[in-house]
Amino acid sequence: MTPTRAVQTFLDSKKQSLPITDEVWNSLKGFRKWNEPELIGLRNASSYFPDIYFEKGMDEEIERLLSIYKKRNVPHKF
């Protein structure tokens, strides 16, 4: 399951009061390997359903990962 699909399925399940599948949880557990847009989506989803953060310090870890992506951006000279 793709990271984007995992986050969307989590949100849909919560909205419909359905249980979260193991496939979704397993995909969410791999968030440290996700790309920048998926991490931003995960962070945005947490504002609607904070329980998407299933481990302690997850928000800080996402912030750290996003800062790594931010450092990669090379400024352009025009």
Side-chain angles (χ1 to χ4, degrees), residues 3 26-39 42 61-62 64-65 69 72:
N26 289 335
S27 182
L28 289 173
K29 288 177 184 176
F31 76 94
R32 288 177 180 86
K33 299 177 185 174
W34 292 5
N35 292 321
E36 184 180 20
E38 288 87 4
L39 289 171
L42 178 59
E61 179 66 13
I62 291 171
R64 186 188 70 77
L65 293 170
Y69 284 112
R72 290 184 184 174

Side-chain angles (χ1 to χ4, degrees), residues 1-7 9-10 21 23-28 34:
M1 177 175 280
T2 66
T4 304
R5 192 72 188 130
V7 170
T9 303
F10 183 92
T21 64
E23 183 181 13
V24 171
W25 285 121
N26 289 335
S27 182
L28 289 173
W34 292 5

